[in-house]
Amino acid sequence: MNSAASPSSSLPLLGRYWRGLGGWNYYFLLKFGLLWNGYLNFHPLANLVLVAFLLFPIPNVRLHRLRHWLALPFGIGLFYHDTWLPGVGSLLSQGDQLAGFSASYLLELVQRFINWQMLGAAFVLWVAYLFLAQWLRFTVLVVTALGWLNIVDVAAPVVKLLPVEETPVAGRQFDATQTSPTRPVEVPATNQNLNAALESFYRQERQRQTGFPDSLPADAVPFDVLVINICSLSWSDLEATGLASHPLWQRFDLRFQDFNSATSYSGPAGIRLLRASCGQSPQQALYQPADPRCYLFDNLAQLGFSTQLAMDHDGDFGGYLSDLRRHGQLQAPLMSQQGIARALVSFDGEPVLNDAQLFSRWLQQRQAAEETRSATFFNLIPLHDGNRLPGRNETASYRDRAQTLFDQLDAFFDTLEQSGRRLMVVVVPEHGAALVGDKVQLSGLRDIPSPAMTRVPVGIRLFGTQAPARSAALDVDAPSSYLAISELIARLVDGQVFEANAIDWPSLIQGLPQTAAVSENDNAVVMEFQGNSHIRLNGGDWVLYPR
């Protein structure tokens, strides 16, 4: 008498229908190769789930083959998820900005994604797989490797899956949990410890603030403050172009060697600079009201400085100018651009004006003005990626554009010296240009605020002083950020340094606020922790930044 087979007796029957991964083996071998070289932000469990779906035995051969085709879009999506490329949410949030790019610049960006060396390596791997598959069972190897990666991932949430050299980055020995150079006792770089370090950093930063005087003394000396905010310039870019030795960088009284811009986008960088009088805040907090004492230019305005704004562009792209006004509280009217020649065409097709002419106009207006004190925010974008010469379609040489800008600034410094005007110039870039890509991002991409992109050259120079100018710049090697600039301006705000016969620069910079290397964009956080950079994407797990 026959009876229906029980569920338990059907399981051995399914064993007859185990099939290999087939071409999916190459998919996972390709991922393993990229992972080993640091090019993936690999998610072991998600990949293991995909393998389980592909391997589960199905008796019907047609359904088995159909399953492989149905898995293709999921495999493609998972591959993208495993890369360091911007998430879908980030792309959607920047859709309006992407739509503003010129067609030639968009084509150039697409071409950058083609890596012929990687394509060649992938082809060699494909041929090797086809050849070795005659003798090796790659499915067993793939499943074993994925199983091991999942075991390691569960055992230690932040694992060193890659052959990464852990030599500390030069000049970056400052821990996110500290506000002094003292090194803490080292603890494992687990998710829990890294999250705690980030929370501790922001908790301490909320307590820090520059103390400006309520009023200036009767013997205060009037002077101007000129903050020059340059887009797309980092120490890494200077080294890549050989322009770190340009004479301009020798003309500062002070140079910050380890200044962190804390972001790799212009809008947040501008807001952070305008809010320099308070400690570093999380990215989302930049778009919320801040303590009135945080706004650097408001603090100066209350002491009698007239505030001004100048730019070599219109500020429309990405709502940059509106961000400065709404979230940086910079309400000064934009200095007239009428009659200024066009030097470049920007990535969105708008003109980039001649900076030398803008510098000249600003100085002429200051010399004719009745106000004895002023604070000007000057934003420059000639180094932005995608800028081109008028009448040309290809991006102009970054080095040529940087050489021109540095020459113009150098000549402007000559003019300021000759004018005898008392002036404090602060040159502080927004972020780097990412001229040299890494394993996380291609050249020119700035979605992730890498250390090479946020470590920017900051210089300060006083003009019109009784004391002679320094023969060589004094370097500030401590890890610093915007609060140090605000503090230094507060120390000099009475202007008496301009009448001194000698300037004790070492005393002026003693005890300047130090700030740990924590950088943040909408979907990425990069943090220095015990001498190594770690990255967290989209609120996920921390991983060691590949180098």
Side-chain angles (χ1 to χ4, degrees), residues 186-270:
E186 291 197 358
V187 296
T190 62
N191 275 314
Q192 181 179 1
N193 289 335
L194 287 162
N195 286 330
L198 184 63
E199 292 173 6
S200 174
F201 169 76
Y202 282 130
R203 183 168 58 250
Q204 293 173 0
E205 290 298 296
R206 284 195 294 270
Q207 302 170 6
R208 302 213 290 171
Q209 192 173 92
T210 301
F212 278 85
D214 294 330
S215 61
L216 294 177
D219 60 348
V221 178
F223 70 100
D224 298 312
V225 176
L226 177 58
V227 178
I228 301 178
N229 195 212
I230 302 175
C231 178
S232 303
L233 178 63
S234 69
W235 282 113
S236 175
D237 300 325
L238 287 175
E239 293 162 2
T241 56
L243 290 175
S245 59
H246 190 283
L248 172 70
W249 304 110
Q250 311 306 318
R251 301 191 66 174
F252 291 100
D253 296 315
L254 291 179
R255 287 184 309 199
F256 287 82
Q257 293 289 337
D258 197 15
F259 189 98
N260 184 39
S261 69
T263 184
S264 56
Y265 280 121
S266 299

Coordinates of all heavy atoms in Angstrom, one line a residue, residues 186-270:
E186 N 45.1 52.5 24.2 CA 44.5 51.9 22.9 C 43.5 50.9 23.3 O 43.7 50.0 24.1 CB 45.6 51.4 22.0 CG 46.5 52.5 21.4 CD 47.3 52.0 20.3 OE1 47.1 50.8 19.9 OE2 48.0 52.8 19.7
V187 N 42.4 50.9 22.5 CA 41.3 49.9 22.7 C 41.0 49.4 21.3 O 41.3 50.0 20.3 CB 40.0 50.6 23.3 CG1 40.3 51.0 24.7 CG2 39.5 51.7 22.4
P188 N 40.4 48.2 21.2 CA 40.1 47.6 19.8 C 39.2 48.6 19.0 O 38.3 49.2 19.6 CB 39.4 46.3 20.2 CG 39.8 46.0 21.6 CD 40.0 47.3 22.3
A189 N 39.4 48.6 17.7 CA 38.6 49.4 16.8 C 37.3 48.7 16.4 O 37.1 48.5 15.3 CB 39.4 49.8 15.6
T190 N 36.5 48.5 17.4 CA 35.2 47.8 17.2 C 34.1 48.9 16.9 O 34.3 50.1 17.1 CB 34.7 47.0 18.4 OG1 34.5 47.9 19.5 CG2 35.7 45.9 18.8
N191 N 33.0 48.4 16.3 CA 31.9 49.4 16.1 C 31.5 50.1 17.3 O 31.3 51.3 17.3 CB 30.7 48.6 15.5 CG 30.8 48.4 14.0 OD1 31.1 49.4 13.3 ND2 30.5 47.2 13.6
Q192 N 31.4 49.4 18.4 CA 31.0 50.0 19.7 C 32.0 51.1 20.1 O 31.6 52.2 20.5 CB 30.9 49.0 20.8 CG 30.4 49.5 22.1 CD 30.3 48.4 23.2 OE1 30.6 47.3 22.9 NE2 29.9 48.8 24.4
N193 N 33.3 50.8 20.0 CA 34.3 51.8 20.4 C 34.3 53.0 19.5 O 34.5 54.1 19.9 CB 35.6 51.1 20.6 CG 35.7 50.2 21.7 OD1 35.0 50.3 22.7 ND2 36.6 49.2 21.6
L194 N 34.2 52.7 18.2 CA 34.3 53.8 17.2 C 33.0 54.7 17.3 O 33.1 55.9 17.3 CB 34.4 53.2 15.8 CG 35.8 52.7 15.5 CD1 35.7 51.8 14.3 CD2 36.8 53.8 15.3
N195 N 31.9 54.1 17.5 CA 30.7 54.9 17.7 C 30.7 55.8 19.0 O 30.3 56.9 19.0 CB 29.4 54.0 17.8 CG 29.0 53.5 16.4 OD1 29.3 54.2 15.4 ND2 28.5 52.3 16.3
A196 N 31.3 55.2 20.0 CA 31.5 55.9 21.3 C 32.4 57.0 21.1 O 32.2 58.1 21.7 CB 31.9 54.9 22.4
A197 N 33.5 56.8 20.4 CA 34.5 57.9 20.1 C 33.9 59.0 19.4 O 34.1 60.2 19.7 CB 35.7 57.3 19.3
L198 N 33.0 58.7 18.4 CA 32.4 59.8 17.6 C 31.4 60.6 18.5 O 31.4 61.8 18.4 CB 31.7 59.2 16.4 CG 31.0 60.2 15.4 CD1 32.1 61.1 14.8 CD2 30.2 59.4 14.4
E199 N 30.6 59.9 19.3 CA 29.7 60.5 20.2 C 30.4 61.4 21.2 O 30.0 62.5 21.5 CB 28.8 59.5 20.9 CG 27.8 58.8 20.0 CD 27.1 57.6 20.7 OE1 27.3 57.5 21.9 OE2 26.4 56.9 20.0
S200 N 31.5 60.9 21.7 CA 32.3 61.7 22.7 C 32.9 62.9 22.0 O 32.9 64.0 22.6 CB 33.5 60.8 23.2 OG 34.4 61.5 24.0
F201 N 33.4 62.8 20.8 CA 33.9 63.9 20.0 C 32.9 65.0 19.9 O 33.1 66.2 20.2 CB 34.4 63.5 18.6 CG 34.7 64.6 17.7 CD1 35.9 65.3 17.8 CD2 33.8 65.0 16.7 CE1 36.2 66.4 17.0 CE2 34.1 66.0 15.8 CZ 35.3 66.7 16.0
Y202 N 31.7 64.7 19.4 CA 30.7 65.7 19.2 C 30.2 66.3 20.6 O 29.8 67.5 20.7 CB 29.5 65.2 18.4 CG 29.8 65.1 16.9 CD1 29.6 63.9 16.2 CD2 30.3 66.2 16.3 CE1 29.9 63.9 14.9 CE2 30.6 66.1 14.9 CZ 30.4 65.0 14.2 OH 30.7 64.9 12.9
R203 N 30.1 65.4 21.6 CA 29.7 65.9 22.9 C 30.7 67.0 23.4 O 30.3 68.0 24.0 CB 29.6 64.8 23.9 CG 29.2 65.1 25.3 CD 28.8 63.9 26.1 NE 29.9 63.0 26.2 CZ 30.0 61.8 25.7 NH1 29.0 61.4 24.9 NH2 31.0 61.0 25.8
Q204 N 32.0 66.7 23.2 CA 33.0 67.7 23.7 C 33.0 69.0 22.8 O 33.2 70.1 23.3 CB 34.4 67.0 23.6 CG 34.6 65.9 24.7 CD 35.9 65.2 24.5 OE1 36.7 65.5 23.6 NE2 36.1 64.2 25.4
E205 N 32.8 68.8 21.5 CA 32.7 69.9 20.6 C 31.6 70.9 20.9 O 31.7 72.1 20.8 CB 32.6 69.5 19.2 CG 33.9 68.8 18.6 CD 35.1 69.7 18.6 OE1 35.0 70.7 17.9 OE2 36.0 69.5 19.4
R206 N 30.5 70.4 21.4 CA 29.3 71.2 21.8 C 29.7 72.2 22.9 O 29.0 73.2 23.1 CB 28.1 70.4 22.2 CG 27.4 69.7 21.0 CD 26.0 69.2 21.4 NE 26.1 68.1 22.3 CZ 26.2 66.8 22.0 NH1 26.2 66.5 20.7 NH2 26.3 65.8 22.9
Q207 N 30.7 71.9 23.7 CA 31.0 72.7 24.8 C 32.1 73.7 24.5 O 32.4 74.6 25.3 CB 31.6 71.8 25.9 CG 30.6 70.7 26.4 CD 31.2 69.7 27.3 OE1 32.4 69.8 27.7 NE2 30.5 68.7 27.7
R208 N 32.6 73.7 23.3 CA 33.7 74.6 22.9 C 33.2 75.9 22.2 O 32.3 75.7 21.3 CB 34.7 73.9 22.1 CG 35.3 72.7 22.8 CD 36.7 72.4 22.4 NE 36.9 72.0 21.0 CZ 38.1 71.9 20.4 NH1 39.2 72.2 21.1 NH2 38.2 71.4 19.2
Q209 N 33.7 77.0 22.5 CA 33.3 78.3 21.9 C 34.4 79.3 22.0 O 35.1 79.4 23.1 CB 32.0 78.7 22.5 CG 31.3 79.8 21.8 CD 29.9 80.1 22.5 OE1 29.8 81.0 23.4 NE2 28.9 79.4 22.1
T210 N 34.5 80.2 21.0 CA 35.5 81.3 21.1 C 34.8 82.4 21.9 O 33.7 82.8 21.7 CB 35.8 81.8 19.7 OG1 36.3 80.7 18.9 CG2 36.8 82.9 19.8
G211 N 35.6 83.0 22.8 CA 35.2 84.1 23.6 C 35.6 85.4 23.0 O 36.7 85.9 23.3
F212 N 34.7 86.0 22.3 CA 35.0 87.4 21.8 C 34.7 88.4 22.9 O 33.8 88.2 23.7 CB 34.2 87.7 20.5 CG 34.7 87.1 19.3 CD1 34.5 85.8 18.9 CD2 35.5 87.9 18.4 CE1 35.0 85.3 17.7 CE2 36.1 87.4 17.3 CZ 35.8 86.1 16.9
P213 N 35.4 89.5 22.9 CA 35.1 90.6 23.9 C 33.7 91.2 23.6 O 33.2 91.2 22.5 CB 36.2 91.6 23.7 CG 36.7 91.4 22.3 CD 36.5 89.9 22.0
D214 N 33.1 91.7 24.7 CA 31.8 92.4 24.5 C 32.0 93.7 23.7 O 31.0 94.2 23.0 CB 31.2 92.7 25.8 CG 30.8 91.4 26.6 OD1 30.5 90.4 25.9 OD2 30.8 91.4 27.8
S215 N 33.1 94.4 23.8 CA 33.4 95.6 23.1 C 34.9 95.8 23.0 O 35.7 95.1 23.7 CB 32.8 96.8 23.8 OG 33.4 96.9 25.1
L216 N 35.3 96.6 22.0 CA 36.7 96.9 21.8 C 37.2 98.0 22.8 O 36.5 98.9 23.1 CB 37.0 97.3 20.4 CG 36.7 96.2 19.3 CD1 36.9 96.8 17.9 CD2 37.6 95.0 19.5
P217 N 38.5 97.9 23.2 CA 39.0 98.9 24.1 C 39.2 100.2 23.3 O 39.1 100.3 22.1 CB 40.4 98.4 24.5 CG 40.8 97.4 23.4 CD 39.5 96.8 22.9
A218 N 39.3 101.3 24.1 CA 39.4 102.6 23.4 C 40.6 102.8 22.5 O 40.6 103.5 21.6 CB 39.4 103.7 24.5
D219 N 41.7 102.0 22.9 CA 42.9 102.1 22.1 C 43.0 101.1 21.0 O 44.1 100.8 20.4 CB 44.1 102.0 23.0 CG 44.2 100.7 23.7 OD1 43.2 100.0 23.7 OD2 45.3 100.4 24.3
A220 N 41.8 100.5 20.6 CA 41.8 99.4 19.6 C 42.2 100.1 18.2 O 41.9 101.2 17.9 CB 40.4 98.8 19.5
V221 N 43.0 99.3 17.5 CA 43.5 99.8 16.2 C 42.6 99.2 15.0 O 42.5 98.0 14.9 CB 44.9 99.3 16.0 CG1 45.4 99.8 14.6 CG2 45.8 99.9 17.1
P222 N 42.0 100.0 14.2 CA 41.1 99.5 13.1 C 42.0 98.7 12.1 O 43.1 99.0 11.8 CB 40.6 100.7 12.5 CG 40.8 101.8 13.5 CD 42.0 101.5 14.2
F223 N 41.4 97.6 11.6 CA 42.0 96.9 10.5 C 40.9 96.1 9.8 O 39.7 96.0 10.3 CB 43.1 95.9 11.0 CG 42.6 94.8 11.9 CD1 42.5 93.5 11.3 CD2 42.2 95.0 13.2 CE1 42.0 92.4 12.1 CE2 41.8 93.9 14.0 CZ 41.7 92.7 13.4
D224 N 41.2 95.5 8.7 CA 40.3 94.6 7.9 C 40.6 93.2 8.0 O 41.8 92.8 8.2 CB 40.4 95.0 6.4 CG 40.0 96.4 6.1 OD1 38.9 96.9 6.6 OD2 40.7 97.1 5.4
V225 N 39.6 92.3 8.0 CA 39.8 90.9 8.0 C 39.3 90.4 6.6 O 38.1 90.7 6.2 CB 39.0 90.2 9.1 CG1 39.1 88.7 9.0 CG2 39.5 90.6 10.5
L226 N 40.1 89.7 5.9 CA 39.8 89.2 4.6 C 40.0 87.6 4.6 O 41.1 87.1 4.7 CB 40.7 89.8 3.5 CG 40.5 89.3 2.1 CD1 39.0 89.5 1.6 CD2 41.4 89.9 1.1
V227 N 38.8 86.9 4.6 CA 38.9 85.5 4.6 C 38.7 85.0 3.1 O 37.6 85.2 2.5 CB 37.7 84.9 5.5 CG1 37.7 83.4 5.4 CG2 37.9 85.4 6.9
I228 N 39.7 84.4 2.6 CA 39.7 83.9 1.2 C 39.4 82.4 1.2 O 40.3 81.6 1.6 CB 41.0 84.2 0.4 CG1 41.2 85.7 0.5 CG2 40.9 83.7 -1.0 CD1 42.5 86.2 -0.2
N229 N 38.2 82.0 0.8 CA 37.8 80.6 0.8 C 37.9 80.0 -0.6 O 37.2 80.4 -1.5 CB 36.4 80.5 1.3 CG 35.9 79.2 1.8 OD1 34.7 78.8 1.6 ND2 36.8 78.4 2.3
I230 N 38.9 79.1 -0.8 CA 39.2 78.5 -2.1 C 38.6 77.1 -2.2 O 38.9 76.3 -1.4 CB 40.7 78.5 -2.3 CG1 41.3 79.9 -2.2 CG2 41.0 78.0 -3.7 CD1 42.8 79.9 -2.3
C231 N 37.9 76.9 -3.3 CA 37.3 75.6 -3.6 C 38.4 74.7 -4.2 O 39.1 75.1 -5.1 CB 36.1 75.7 -4.5 SG 35.3 74.2 -5.0
S232 N 38.4 73.4 -3.8 CA 39.2 72.4 -4.4 C 40.7 72.6 -4.3 O 41.4 72.7 -5.3 CB 38.8 72.2 -5.9 OG 37.4 71.9 -6.0
L233 N 41.2 72.6 -3.1 CA 42.7 72.7 -2.9 C 43.0 72.0 -1.6 O 42.6 72.4 -0.5 CB 43.0 74.2 -2.8 CG 44.5 74.5 -2.5 CD1 45.4 73.9 -3.7 CD2 44.8 76.0 -2.4
S234 N 43.9 71.0 -1.7 CA 44.4 70.3 -0.5 C 45.9 70.2 -0.6 O 46.5 70.4 -1.6 CB 43.7 68.9 -0.4 OG 44.2 68.1 -1.4
W235 N 46.5 69.7 0.5 CA 47.9 69.5 0.5 C 48.2 68.4 -0.5 O 49.2 68.4 -1.2 CB 48.4 69.0 1.9 CG 48.6 70.2 2.8 CD1 47.9 70.4 4.0 CD2 49.6 71.2 2.8 NE1 48.3 71.5 4.6 CE2 49.4 72.0 3.9 CE3 50.6 71.5 1.9 CZ2 50.2 73.2 4.1 CZ3 51.4 72.6 2.1 CH2 51.2 73.4 3.2
S236 N 47.3 67.4 -0.6 CA 47.5 66.3 -1.6 C 47.5 66.9 -3.0 O 48.4 66.4 -3.9 CB 46.4 65.3 -1.5 OG 46.5 64.3 -2.4
D237 N 46.7 67.8 -3.3 CA 46.6 68.4 -4.7 C 47.9 69.2 -4.9 O 48.4 69.2 -6.1 CB 45.4 69.3 -4.8 CG 44.1 68.6 -4.6 OD1 44.0 67.4 -5.0 OD2 43.2 69.2 -4.0
L238 N 48.4 69.9 -3.9 CA 49.6 70.7 -4.1 C 50.8 69.8 -4.4 O 51.7 70.1 -5.2 CB 49.9 71.5 -2.8 CG 49.0 72.8 -2.6 CD1 49.4 73.4 -1.2 CD2 49.2 73.8 -3.7
E239 N 50.9 68.7 -3.7 CA 51.9 67.7 -3.9 C 51.8 67.1 -5.2 O 52.8 66.8 -5.9 CB 51.9 66.6 -2.8 CG 52.2 67.2 -1.4 CD 51.8 66.3 -0.3 OE1 51.3 65.2 -0.5 OE2 52.0 66.7 0.9
A240 N 50.6 66.8 -5.7 CA 50.4 66.1 -7.0 C 50.8 67.0 -8.1 O 51.3 66.5 -9.2 CB 49.0 65.7 -7.1
T241 N 50.7 68.3 -8.0 CA 51.0 69.3 -9.0 C 52.4 69.9 -8.9 O 52.8 70.6 -9.8 CB 49.9 70.4 -9.1 OG1 49.9 71.0 -7.8 CG2 48.6 69.8 -9.4
G242 N 53.0 69.6 -7.8 CA 54.3 70.2 -7.5 C 54.3 71.7 -7.2 O 55.3 72.4 -7.2
L243 N 53.1 72.2 -6.7 CA 52.9 73.6 -6.4 C 53.0 74.0 -4.9 O 52.8 75.1 -4.5 CB 51.6 74.1 -7.0 CG 51.5 74.2 -8.5 CD1 50.1 74.6 -8.9 CD2 52.5 75.2 -9.1
A244 N 53.4 73.0 -4.1 CA 53.6 73.2 -2.7 C 54.8 74.2 -2.5 O 54.9 74.8 -1.5 CB 53.8 71.9 -1.9
S245 N 55.7 74.3 -3.5 CA 56.8 75.2 -3.4 C 56.6 76.5 -4.0 O 57.5 77.3 -4.2 CB 58.0 74.5 -4.0 OG 57.8 74.2 -5.4
H246 N 55.4 76.8 -4.4 CA 55.1 78.1 -5.0 C 55.4 79.2 -4.0 O 55.1 79.1 -2.8 CB 53.6 78.2 -5.4 CG 53.3 79.4 -6.2 ND1 53.1 80.7 -5.7 CD2 53.1 79.6 -7.6 CE1 52.8 81.5 -6.7 NE2 52.8 80.9 -7.8
P247 N 56.0 80.3 -4.5 CA 56.4 81.4 -3.5 C 55.2 81.9 -2.6 O 55.5 82.4 -1.5 CB 56.9 82.5 -4.5 CG 57.3 81.8 -5.7 CD 56.4 80.6 -5.9
L248 N 54.0 81.8 -3.1 CA 52.9 82.2 -2.2 C 52.9 81.6 -0.9 O 52.6 82.3 0.1 CB 51.6 81.9 -3.0 CG 50.3 82.2 -2.1 CD1 50.1 83.7 -1.9 CD2 49.1 81.5 -2.8
W249 N 53.2 80.3 -0.8 CA 53.1 79.6 0.5 C 54.2 80.0 1.4 O 54.2 79.6 2.6 CB 53.1 78.1 0.2 CG 52.0 77.7 -0.7 CD1 52.1 77.3 -1.9 CD2 50.6 77.8 -0.4 NE1 50.8 77.1 -2.5 CE2 49.9 77.4 -1.5 CE3 49.8 78.2 0.8 CZ2 48.5 77.4 -1.6 CZ3 48.4 78.2 0.7 CH2 47.8 77.8 -0.5
Q250 N 55.2 80.7 0.9 CA 56.3 81.2 1.8 C 56.0 82.6 2.4 O 56.8 83.1 3.2 CB 57.6 81.3 1.0 CG 57.9 80.0 0.2 CD 57.9 78.7 1.1 OE1 58.4 78.7 2.2 NE2 57.3 77.7 0.5
R251 N 54.9 83.2 2.0 CA 54.6 84.6 2.4 C 53.7 84.7 3.5 O 53.4 85.8 4.0 CB 54.1 85.3 1.2 CG 55.0 85.3 0.0 CD 54.5 86.3 -1.1 NE 54.6 87.7 -0.7 CZ 54.4 88.7 -1.5 NH1 54.1 88.5 -2.8 NH2 54.4 90.0 -1.0
F252 N 53.3 83.6 4.1 CA 52.4 83.7 5.3 C 53.2 83.8 6.6 O 54.3 83.3 6.7 CB 51.5 82.4 5.3 CG 50.5 82.4 4.2 CD1 50.7 81.6 3.0 CD2 49.3 83.1 4.2 CE1 49.8 81.6 2.0 CE2 48.4 83.1 3.2 CZ 48.6 82.3 2.1
D253 N 52.5 84.4 7.5 CA 53.1 84.4 8.9 C 52.9 83.1 9.6 O 53.8 82.6 10.3 CB 52.5 85.6 9.7 CG 52.8 86.9 9.2 OD1 54.0 87.2 8.8 OD2 51.9 87.7 9.0
L254 N 51.7 82.5 9.3 CA 51.4 81.2 9.9 C 50.9 80.3 8.9 O 50.1 80.7 7.9 CB 50.3 81.4 11.0 CG 50.6 82.1 12.3 CD1 49.3 82.1 13.2 CD2 51.7 81.4 13.1
R255 N 51.2 79.0 9.0 CA 50.7 78.0 8.1 C 50.2 76.8 9.0 O 50.9 76.4 9.8 CB 51.7 77.5 7.1 CG 52.0 78.5 6.0 CD 53.0 77.8 5.0 NE 54.1 77.2 5.7 CZ 55.3 76.9 5.0 NH1 55.4 77.2 3.7 NH2 56.3 76.4 5.7
F256 N 49.0 76.4 8.7 CA 48.4 75.2 9.4 C 48.7 74.0 8.6 O 48.2 73.9 7.5 CB 47.0 75.4 9.7 CG 46.6 76.4 10.8 CD1 46.6 77.7 10.5 CD2 46.3 76.0 12.1 CE1 46.2 78.7 11.5 CE2 46.0 76.9 13.1 CZ 46.0 78.2 12.8
Q257 N 49.6 73.1 9.1 CA 50.0 72.0 8.3 C 49.0 70.8 8.4 O 49.0 69.9 7.6 CB 51.4 71.5 8.8 CG 52.5 72.4 8.5 CD 52.8 72.5 7.1 OE1 52.6 71.6 6.3 NE2 53.5 73.6 6.6
D258 N 48.2 70.8 9.5 CA 47.2 69.7 9.7 C 45.8 70.2 10.0 O 45.3 69.9 11.0 CB 47.7 68.8 10.8 CG 47.1 67.4 10.8 OD1 46.5 67.1 9.8 OD2 47.2 66.7 11.8
F259 N 45.3 71.0 9.0 CA 44.0 71.6 9.2 C 43.0 70.7 8.5 O 43.1 70.4 7.3 CB 44.0 73.0 8.6 CG 42.8 73.8 8.9 CD1 42.7 74.8 9.9 CD2 41.6 73.6 8.1 CE1 41.6 75.5 10.1 CE2 40.5 74.4 8.3 CZ 40.4 75.3 9.4
N260 N 41.9 70.4 9.2 CA 40.9 69.5 8.7 C 39.6 70.3 8.3 O 39.0 71.0 9.1 CB 40.5 68.5 9.7 CG 39.5 67.5 9.1 OD1 39.6 67.1 8.0 ND2 38.5 67.1 10.0
S261 N 39.3 70.3 7.0 CA 38.1 71.0 6.5 C 36.8 70.4 7.0 O 35.7 71.0 6.8 CB 38.1 71.2 5.0 OG 37.9 69.9 4.4
A262 N 36.8 69.2 7.4 CA 35.7 68.4 8.0 C 34.6 68.1 7.0 O 33.6 67.5 7.4 CB 35.0 69.3 9.1
T263 N 34.8 68.3 5.7 CA 33.8 68.0 4.7 C 34.5 68.1 3.3 O 35.6 68.6 3.2 CB 32.6 68.9 4.7 OG1 31.6 68.5 3.8 CG2 33.0 70.3 4.4
S264 N 33.8 67.5 2.3 CA 34.4 67.6 1.0 C 33.4 68.3 0.0 O 33.5 68.1 -1.2 CB 34.8 66.2 0.5 OG 33.6 65.3 0.5
Y265 N 32.5 69.0 0.5 CA 31.5 69.8 -0.3 C 31.5 71.2 0.1 O 31.7 71.6 1.2 CB 30.1 69.2 -0.2 CG 29.9 67.9 -1.0 CD1 29.6 66.7 -0.5 CD2 30.1 67.9 -2.4 CE1 29.4 65.5 -1.2 CE2 30.0 66.8 -3.2 CZ 29.6 65.6 -2.6 OH 29.5 64.5 -3.4
S266 N 31.2 72.1 -0.9 CA 31.3 73.5 -0.8 C 30.4 74.1 0.2 O 30.7 74.9 1.1 CB 31.2 74.2 -2.1 OG 32.2 73.8 -3.0
G267 N 29.1 73.8 0.1 CA 28.1 74.3 1.0 C 28.3 74.1 2.4 O 28.4 75.0 3.2
P268 N 28.5 72.8 2.9 CA 28.9 72.6 4.3 C 30.2 73.2 4.7 O 30.3 73.7 5.8 CB 29.0 71.1 4.3 CG 28.1 70.6 3.2 CD 28.3 71.6 2.1
A269 N 31.2 73.3 3.8 CA 32.4 73.9 4.2 C 32.2 75.4 4.4 O 32.8 75.9 5.4 CB 33.4 73.7 3.0
G270 N 31.4 76.1 3.6 CA 31.2 77.5 3.8 C 30.4 77.7 5.1 O 30.7 78.7 5.9

